[in-house]
């Protein structure tokens, strides 16, 4: 699948710029098994990179202007490296300007490039195509100009670019895109950025993403509000329990103890965060021990929390998880990523995948009149050099 993408990206480069690109980079989207909305709350997450990627072709152009061509949109963007980086109405361009802005601020030296890129990561499906964009572009510049930047710093710089564009996200997406490893999930400590790889062995079950095909416009503002609500909640927890350093030190009893001091929404958010942080460790232990049914139940529990307490679900995602609960072949399901649309992640009994996809697609079409898309997940390498 990626061979076609690589060929198209290379051909477009040759057509546009008249030379063969010396550097080709593949940068993946990500899934997350569990640990949602806890990366910016000092929790743990369990993501992995997948085989859906953005392909970039690069070549130095010996000038101080970068020329970037978005093949899928048929749009072109030029960045004068000597000018101040500014946000632009064409959202995709901002991720590129953001990376250049922070590379300059970090004092790294580079010049203009010609670049084409094309993607097979579905946009707006919660698979983090924006992190793939940031990390892939950055990785390409690093390769072309040989500058030293660690994987960890690449992820952090990608996150900064995302903040600049307007989402106050955590570190999970960029970290997973950069550090992905074939057939492994990573348990990432979002406080220290230490991580460990775990076998992505789901025994008798397959991981399948079901794409609700909706993206509600609430996403950005609600995301940033959740983050503020959590900060407010933690401040109150700390005032009452000064020894607490981060959310991960909190117990559910402590949350209940200060319930009256929090607004109902802040209470629900904080309660969800403390429980979700605990669920990630349980889930990782269940995965390591091959207790996939236990893992599945934890996914259902996470969805319940995301829907009722964190309130980042929507009717379409709740319905998809509802179908899963009613089907014995699906042992776990939840919304994945930021919410308000995008995909659910599902653990489906091997051999039953196609039957489940067909059944759910019919139910979903009947209920919402929307086509349900399904993606089989292959856990793959992180951002890497294909050629160069
Ligand atoms: C988005 C953000 C991540 C993370 C998830 C929710 O994908 O970019 O940092 O917060 O939502 O877990």
């Amino acid at each position: 699948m990626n061979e076609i993408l690589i060929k198209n990206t290379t051909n477009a480069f040759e057509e546009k710029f008249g030379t063969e690109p010396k550097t080709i980079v593949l940068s993946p989207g990500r899934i997350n098994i569990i640990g949602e909305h806890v990366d910016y709350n000092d929790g743990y997450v369990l993501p992995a990179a997948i085989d859906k990627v953005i392909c970039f072709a690069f070549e130095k152009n010996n000038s101080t202007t970068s020329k970037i061509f978005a093949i899928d949109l048929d749009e072109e963007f030029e960045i004068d490296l000597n000018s101040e980086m500014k946000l632009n109405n064409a959202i995709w361009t901002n991720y590129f300007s953001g990376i250049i802005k922070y590379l300059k601020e970090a004092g790294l030296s580079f010049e203009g490039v010609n670049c084409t890129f094309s993607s097979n990561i579905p946009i707006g499906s919660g698979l983090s195509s924006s992190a793939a964009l940031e990390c892939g572009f950055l990785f390409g510049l690093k390769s072309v100009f040989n500058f030293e930047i660690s994987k960890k710093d690449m992820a952090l710089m990608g996150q900064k670019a995302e903040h600049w564009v307007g989402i106050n996200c955590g570190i999970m997406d960029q970290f997973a895109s950069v550090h992905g490893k074939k057939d492994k999930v990573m348990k990432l400590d979002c406080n220290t950025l230490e991580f460990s790889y775990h076998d992505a062995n789901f025994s008798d079950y397959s991981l399948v993403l079901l794409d609700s095909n909706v993206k509600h416009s609430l996403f950005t503002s609600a995301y940033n509000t959740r983050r503020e609500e959590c900060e407010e909640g933690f401040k109150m927890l700390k005032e009452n329990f000064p020894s607490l350093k981060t959310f991960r030190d909190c117990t559910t009893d402590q949350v209940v103890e200060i319930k009256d001091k929090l607004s109902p929404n802040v209470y629900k958010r904080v309660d969800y965060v403390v429980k979700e942080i605990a669920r990630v460790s349980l889930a990782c232990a269940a995965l390591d021990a091959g207790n996939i049914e236990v893992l599945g139940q934890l996914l259902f529990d996470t969805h319940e929390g995301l829907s009722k307490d964190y309130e980042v679900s929507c009717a379409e995602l709740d319905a998809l998880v509802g179908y899963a609960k009613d089907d014995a072949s699906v042992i776990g399901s939840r919304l994945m990523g930021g919410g308000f649309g995008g995909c659910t992640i599902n653990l489906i009994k091997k051999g039953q995948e196609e039957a489940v996809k067909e059944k759910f697609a019919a139910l979903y079409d009947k209920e919402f009149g929307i086509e349900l898309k399904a993606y089989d997940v292959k856990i793959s390498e992180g951002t890497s050099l294909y050629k160069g």
Side-chain angles (χ1 to χ4, degrees), residues 305-373:
L306 286 169
S307 177
K308 303 266 162 54
D309 296 327
Y310 217 68
E311 297 181 289
V312 291
S313 188
C314 57
E316 294 88 347
L317 291 168
D318 286 346
L320 290 174
V321 174
Y323 307 157
K325 281 192 174 155
D326 291 341
D327 190 316
S329 313
V330 192
I331 56 152
S333 176
R334 64 175 194 83
L335 79 82
M336 193 186 73
F340 300 103
C343 289
T344 59
I345 181 166
N346 301 270
L347 281 167
I348 304 181
K349 184 100 187 143
K350 279 192 180 140
Q352 296 301 310
E353 298 92 334
E354 295 314 310
V356 168
K357 287 180 203 167
E358 267 176 41
K359 179 177 147 193
F360 287 17
L363 289 168
Y364 193 62
D365 180 43
K366 191 159 172 241
E367 192 168 349
F368 297 100
I370 304 173
E371 186 198 351
L372 183 68
K373 289 195 206 142

Side-chain angles (χ1 to χ4, degrees), residues 8 16 84-85 98 116 188 205 208 228 252 302 340 356 361 377 384:
N8 286 345
K16 198 90 206 153
E84 193 196 329
M85 295 302 127
T116 58
L188 169 65
Y205 300 91
V208 176
E228 284 161 20
T252 42
T302 291
F340 300 103
V356 168
V377 173
S384 55

Side-chain angles (χ1 to χ4, degrees), residues 30 32 35-40 128 169-173 219 223 337-338:
R30 63 101 190 88
N32 184 26
E36 222 59 273
H37 284 279
V38 290
D39 59 346
Y40 53 87
S128 223
C169 65
I171 189 64
M172 172 171 74
D173 302 350
F219 182 80
Y223 188 96

